[in-house]
Amino acid sequence: EVLTEDPETAFCTLANREDLNPEEGSIYHCLYQFTRNEKLTETNKLLCDVCTQRHYGPKNNIKSEKYVYTNAKKQMLISLAPPVLTLHLKRFQQAGFNLRKVNRHIKFPEVIDLAPFCTVKCKNVAEGNTKVLYSLYGVVEHSGTMRSGHYTAYAKMRSMNNQLSDLVLRGPSPQALETEPVKGQWFHISDTHVQAVSASKVLSSQAYLLFYERLL
């Protein structure tokens, strides 16, 4: 189903993307690149039904080989902010006929704001809010190569987030968003071994999966 959106707001976000200036090698830079505005031209032009009907008349009069393609813009934005945000980092790259593990450290914060990547009409964000904040509570890390390795995890032990439960069950609340990460103790888990660690240790890990919970 194709929906006609207001062209004035189709590419607008809750917060100004251009104010970000994200640091390369950060999760913000990854999100910025993933949601960037793309131009579809030349061989990537978009098949336009409206243009085709305007040029050739009603659809039933159009011969199968007659279609009108037009330049277009494409952008992927978040239309529904999830209660739990899971970010999966691509940790491999093509090297000839082989896959190579990417060991580069990607910077990620304890509190992340998704507003610059959300459509201005994001469904479960209260009107007037220009921040969509999440607090980090889990990280999965992989050590080794593409052929072998070991998965470990960092998890934050914290009190039950009743506000998150309310969000899942009842939808967004009009109350103000918090700006601080959820308080708790971080632990490193490797098979049966569990050790308390600092937040700085977590933030220096080579994350493979990141888990954030919505702050209300």
Side-chain angles (χ1 to χ4, degrees):
E1 182 181 3
V2 177
L3 300 177
T4 302
E5 296 286 347
D6 180 358
E8 295 297 324
T9 60
F11 297 94
C12 292
T13 50
L14 283 173
N16 191 349
R17 292 167 56 86
E18 304 312 314
D19 291 340
L20 266 183
N21 192 24
E23 180 183 356
E24 189 172 352
S26 69
I27 200 69
Y28 273 114
H29 187 260
C30 294
L31 288 168
Y32 187 88
Q33 290 294 101
F34 187 76
T35 58
R36 72 186 187 278
N37 193 316
E38 300 177 61
K39 293 181 180 179
L40 304 179
T41 60
E42 299 180 351
T43 57
N44 291 321
K45 283 184 177 181
L46 187 71
L47 170 61
C48 177
D49 288 333
V50 174
C51 304
T52 300
Q53 291 185 41
R54 186 184 297 132
H55 194 274
Y56 292 109
K59 207 169 187 177
N60 53 5
N61 295 332
I62 303 173
K63 294 183 179 180
S64 58
E65 69 274 8
K66 289 187 176 180
Y67 296 104
V68 175
Y69 293 82
T70 183
N71 293 333
K73 290 193 296 183
K74 169 190 170 185
Q75 187 174 27
M76 291 190 292
L77 295 171
I78 298 167
S79 64
L80 186 71
V84 174
L85 173 68
T86 304
L87 298 177
H88 180 189
L89 300 179
K90 183 180 176 182
R91 282 291 181 185
F92 66 89
Q93 64 182 17
Q94 192 79 31
F97 294 102
N98 299 315
L99 293 177
R100 179 185 300 163
K101 172 80 182 294
V102 176
N103 291 312
R104 181 181 182 183
H105 174 67
I106 300 297
K107 294 182 180 179
F108 54 94
E110 280 198 84
V111 174
I112 190 171
D113 183 8
L114 275 194
F117 318 109
C118 291
T119 174
V120 72
K121 296 181 180 179
C122 199
K123 297 181 181 67
N124 59 345
V125 175
E127 188 175 351
N129 278 350
T130 57
K131 289 184 180 294
V132 183
L133 301 180
Y134 288 81
S135 179
L136 184 71
Y137 74 91
V139 180
V140 174
E141 183 178 40
H142 178 267
S143 58
T145 66
M146 291 294 296
R147 295 183 178 274
S148 64
H150 182 56
Y151 289 97
T152 58
Y154 294 92
K156 179 186 276 189
M157 187 177 72
R158 63 220 188 280
S159 58
M160 182 176 177
N161 188 340
N162 293 322
Q163 294 172 331
L164 182 63
S165 301
D166 289 341
L167 175 65
V168 174
L169 296 174
R170 302 183 184 88
S173 166
Q175 67 191 70
L177 292 170
E178 298 175 10
T179 59
E180 297 296 326
V182 176
K183 293 181 180 179
Q185 174 63 55
W186 281 101
F187 289 90
H188 182 230
I189 302 112
S190 178
D191 295 333
T192 59
H193 181 69
V194 179
Q195 180 183 14
V197 294
S198 64
S200 60
K201 172 70 173 176
V202 177
L203 297 178
S204 66
S205 65
Q206 291 189 17
Y208 176 59
L209 290 169
L210 296 169
F211 298 91
Y212 288 87
E213 59 185 327
R214 181 95 174 261
L215 291 175
L216 297 177

